[in-house]
Amino acid sequence: MNKQHRVMVAGGTGLVGSALVRRLHAGGYANVLAPTRQTLDVADAAAVRAYLQQHQPDVLFIAAAKVGGIQANNTHRADFLLDNLRIQTSLIGGAHEAGIQRLMFLGSSCIYPRMAVQPITEDALLTGPLEPTNEPYAVAKIAGIKLCEAMAHQHGRAYVSVMPTNLYGPGDHYDLATSHVLPALIRKVHEAKQRGEAAVPVWGTGTPRREFLFVDDLADACVYLMEQAYAGPLLNIGTGEDISICELTELVMSVVGHTGHLQFDTSQPDGTPRKLLDVSRLTALGWQARTSMREGIALAYADYLARFG
Ligand code: GDP
């Protein structure tokens, strides 16, 4: 990929897609296509095929997906499976039909088995049962990875898959019922501070460990890999460090400036006990994350205040 290329970001208005568009513009890419939902329904295979054939992007990033936190994934199980299968099939299949040679499919670290050895290497894929709370989403993403691999194998396409760890940053979703843990905690801590309440409600036991990557770092990694013409196997993208949900809540409290205590709601699920990616393949390719968690949470909180404060 180079700056003369026409680069399309599917899902370009979401958390990941908008970070990709920011990074491409900052990197001097003048020919970036990022259709909104109103312009292109990415789940509509015929519409996607027509769009790709008309615009003929040289490169396609697939950041379009139905995403959500533990409760949304666990409740709307059919939607997560069906919507993601539709979106990725229309984009990957449509890209092939339109003759697009280079594509990057973004998955998620939840594709790996629930009890995978930590940190999780790419080779852990399909070696054990998945975490039940997000199994439908994970199954869809695994199908997307396998479709990219099959396109490469059967048709010689450079369709690569990358697996980001839990992401956060500007443009995130703060709906408490559907969001991921970090935006939920930013909102809960902010609201507790505003109301003068000491207790910060935390789902589960607070003991699960998660790894968090600032979304602009993810976008940088994706562009870096495409510029290197990475055409290898499935690749993890993360920081290589994790934190417990308790420690994370305390960090958010420190950034927001709230002193109080954690109140656990153990009627909510913990999900997988630990999810830490092995990023040694990515490190060996010469990329590593730059934004510390404290810096990243401060930037996400500033975005939250600008939009909702
Ligand atoms: P996961 O990584 O797929 O489990 O997705 P989440 O980001 O939704 O949740 C991560 C962990 O944070 C789980 O153990 C949740 O129980 C815990 N958690 C604590 N408080 C919250 C909250 O307010 N919202 C969410 N989504 N998760 C929370």
Side-chain angles (χ1 to χ4, degrees), residues 38-281:
Q38 287 70 37
T39 314
L40 178 64
D41 174 3
V42 286
D44 178 342
V48 167
R49 194 181 308 119
Y51 186 94
L52 292 173
Q53 275 165 359
Q54 183 191 344
H55 294 277
Q56 288 291 321
D58 299 294
V59 175
L60 172 61
F61 287 96
I62 302 185
K66 179 175 176 65
V67 296
I70 192 164
Q71 196 184 67
N73 268 279
N74 201 19
T75 315
H76 302 286
R77 297 177 72 88
D79 294 350
F80 274 84
L81 184 51
L82 196 55
D83 291 2
N84 283 304
L85 285 175
R86 282 196 177 124
I87 292 167
Q88 67 202 32
T89 308
S90 54
L91 285 163
I92 299 169
H96 171 60
E97 284 172 39
I100 296 166
Q101 182 56 16
R102 184 158 284 281
L103 171 159
M104 179 175 275
F105 175 65
L106 282 95
S108 156
S109 57
C110 71
I111 58 152
Y112 293 116
R114 170 183 164 83
M115 298 314 282
V117 174
Q118 308 283 324
I120 312 170
T121 62
E122 290 86 350
D123 300 334
L125 184 66
L126 292 174
T127 57
L130 298 166
E131 156 61 29
T133 52
N134 54 28
E135 189 187 78
Y137 176 78
V139 165
K141 286 292 180 185
I142 293 170
I145 295 165
K146 291 296 165 189
L147 183 53
C148 289
E149 284 176 10
M151 287 291 190
H153 185 264
Q154 187 182 337
H155 300 295
R157 298 292 188 201
Y159 289 4
V160 299
S161 298
V162 294
M163 296 304 115
T165 193
N166 292 32
L167 301 167
Y168 71 101
D172 215 335
H173 300 283
Y174 291 90
D175 177 328
L176 293 180
T178 56
S179 74
H180 287 102
V181 61
L182 194 32
L185 288 176
I186 288 175
R187 176 169 171 181
K188 286 175 174 179
V189 172
H190 173 78
E191 288 180 351
K193 180 184 172 189
Q194 278 203 320
R195 295 181 192 139
E197 291 167 2
V200 175
V202 177
W203 290 357
T205 61
T207 56
R209 300 185 69 83
R210 295 287 185 275
E211 175 189 15
F212 297 91
L213 179 68
F214 189 60
V215 72
D216 289 274
D217 282 356
L218 169 76
D220 188 62
C222 293
V223 171
Y224 177 85
L225 291 167
M226 282 302 222
E227 286 181 341
Q228 308 255 313
Y230 178 75
L234 177 66
L235 191 65
N236 289 340
I237 304 184
T239 63
E241 285 171 27
D242 65 353
I243 180 171
S244 75
I245 299 302
C246 281
E247 290 162 340
L248 177 71
T249 313
E250 278 154 14
L251 184 54
V252 172
M253 287 165 71
S254 151
V255 170
V256 171
H258 178 59
T259 42
H261 61 268
L262 283 52
Q263 189 176 59
F264 299 105
D265 175 358
T266 50
S267 69
Q268 293 287 349
D270 269 344
T272 192
R274 193 175 183 206
K275 219 173 1 174
L276 173 65
L277 293 178
D278 183 317
V279 290
S280 43
R281 269 192 202 166

Side-chain angles (χ1 to χ4, degrees), residues 1 7-12 14-27 29 32 60-64 104 106 215-216 218-224 226:
M1 181 175 82
V7 182
M8 176 172 165
V9 181
L15 172 69
V16 172
S18 56
L20 274 168
V21 171
R22 275 198 296 283
R23 173 62 183 80
L24 289 163
H25 285 155
Y29 287 79
V32 178
L60 172 61
F61 287 96
I62 302 185
M104 179 175 275
L106 282 95
V215 72
D216 289 274
L218 169 76
D220 188 62
C222 293
V223 171
Y224 177 85
M226 282 302 222

